[in-house]
């Protein structure tokens, strides 16, 4: 083994982990559905054809990323391995600091004032 096995004692870890997994899948899927309903690409960097503000986008500007972060955090809780805390932390930091500024610039350039008003009203995460 390269590193010692470290299992944390976390109360309610099964319940919390399971809820996070379900929440993550649900919020990501509903975000994908909202994009499909508007017939716009969900791939980062693709030119958006429509601004999506329905479904989970009424509460968070990034439900798909939020869902992935929740899912990864759920895996951490279920495993209780300190090492599996790293993926959700790194994922969230990279998305928040690298990808989202790029995507927000693209949306601002494409949709102008409509996007800026939406971004002022709806939080980036939760």
């Amino acid at each position: 083994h390269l590193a010692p096995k470290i299992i944390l004692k976390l109360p309610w870890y099964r319940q919390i982990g399971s809820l996070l997994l379900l929440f993550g899948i649900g919020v990501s899927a509903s975000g994908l559905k909202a994009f499909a309903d508007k017939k716009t690409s969900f791939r980062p960097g693709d030119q958006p054809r429509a601004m999506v503000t329905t479904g989970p986008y009424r509460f968070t500007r990034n439900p798909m990323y939020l869902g992935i972060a929740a899912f990864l955090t759920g895996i951490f809780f279920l495993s209780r391995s300190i090492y599996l805390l790293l993926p959700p932390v790194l994922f969230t930091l990279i998305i928040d600091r690298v990808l989202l500024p790029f995507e927000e610039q693209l949306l601002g350039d494409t949709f102008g004032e409509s996007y800026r008003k939406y971004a002022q009203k709806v939080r980036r995460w939760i």
Side-chain angles (χ1 to χ4, degrees):
H1 295 266
L2 297 174
K5 188 174 182 181
I6 301 173
I7 301 297
L8 302 173
K9 292 181 187 258
L10 299 171
W12 302 87
Y13 69 94
R14 283 188 185 103
Q15 294 86 348
I16 294 169
S18 297
L19 284 173
L20 285 168
L21 287 178
L22 291 172
F23 172 79
I25 292 168
V27 75
S28 288
S30 64
L32 279 171
K33 183 185 179 319
F35 266 55
D37 290 348
K38 290 277 191 171
K39 296 180 179 30
T40 191
S41 176
F42 64 87
R43 290 184 49 206
D46 280 1
Q47 184 63 42
R49 292 187 297 268
M51 196 168 93
V52 181
T53 60
T54 57
Y57 291 91
R58 294 174 293 155
F59 310 107
T60 174
R61 295 195 316 260
N62 299 289
M64 289 182 267
Y65 296 138
L66 177 62
I68 294 167
F71 187 86
L72 292 171
T73 305
I75 291 171
F76 158 70
F77 269 92
L78 291 173
S79 73
R80 296 176 290 145
S81 169
I82 191 73
Y83 304 112
L84 288 181
L85 183 55
L86 197 55
V89 170
L90 287 177
F91 172 81
T92 303
L93 284 173
I94 291 168
I95 294 298
D96 191 66
R97 306 302 161 124
V98 178
L99 190 59
L100 289 182
F102 165 75
E103 288 185 350
E104 290 170 347
Q105 180 69 46
L106 181 61
L107 289 165
D109 291 347
T110 304
F111 300 111
E113 191 60 27
S114 294
Y115 177 73
R116 285 186 271 291
K117 284 181 180 177
Y118 169 72
Q120 287 176 347
K121 189 173 77 170
V122 178
R123 293 175 180 252
R124 180 184 261 186
W125 290 100
I126 50 174

